[in-house]
Amino acid sequence: MRKVEARLISDAGAPAAAVVAQTTVRAPVRWTQPDGTERTAVVSVWAGSPAGTAVPIWITAQGVATSRAPTTPGAADASAWMTATGTFVVATGLFIAAWKSFTKLVDILRYRGWEKEWDEVEAGLSEQFRNR
């Protein structure tokens, strides 16, 4: 992406609803390409900016204009670290939840087995004491 200085073609009106300062609106801008051709696009600009105001825009290799600056290497690194940390936390949480569910299921099955065996032992002991 490369930075270009464009000019507002018309006044950037106020937003539809009354909101706090530093609101952006979409407005048409014009700039000249390195080959001398003039181009226009609609980008986000500060509300209330008069026609002719210089607006920094960024042009992609395909010629698409945007008012958003490209991400800096530091911001990209921070985003990558945040994504990696979030993924690790979520994956760890899912693993712990799966492990807890598995151990709970194993405990339920074990308790049912113990209960069944105890019923058999108890029946045998009761029969022994009744025959005395």
Side-chain angles (χ1 to χ4, degrees):
M1 291 182 87
R2 65 184 174 88
K3 186 177 180 180
V4 175
E5 186 175 284
R7 299 271 175 199
L8 275 171
I9 295 172
S10 61
D11 292 343
V19 291
V20 294
Q22 295 190 350
T23 301
T24 58
V25 294
R26 310 255 316 142
V29 295
R30 179 178 292 131
W31 73 96
T32 306
Q33 294 282 83
D35 63 3
T37 59
E38 284 196 350
R39 299 279 310 264
T40 60
V42 176
V43 296
S44 294
V45 297
W46 294 113
S49 298
T53 302
V55 177
I57 61 170
W58 286 261
I59 309 299
T60 65
Q62 295 79 22
V64 178
T66 181
S67 54
R68 292 182 59 189
T71 303
T72 63
D77 287 346
S79 179
W81 277 107
M82 292 297 289
T83 301
T85 302
T87 302
F88 175 76
V89 168
V90 169
T92 302
L94 289 173
F95 175 78
I96 290 170
W99 180 255
K100 291 286 187 182
S101 297
F102 173 75
T103 57
K104 182 72 171 174
L105 177 64
V106 168
D107 285 345
I108 288 171
L109 295 174
R110 186 176 353 167
Y111 293 149
R112 285 182 184 166
W114 287 347
E115 188 174 337
K116 182 181 173 192
E117 288 180 23
W118 183 248
D119 288 343
E120 292 171 7
V121 169
E122 190 177 33
L125 287 175
S126 296
E127 189 65 34
Q128 242 182 358
F129 284 114
R130 268 190 244 136
N131 291 339
R132 281 190 171 187

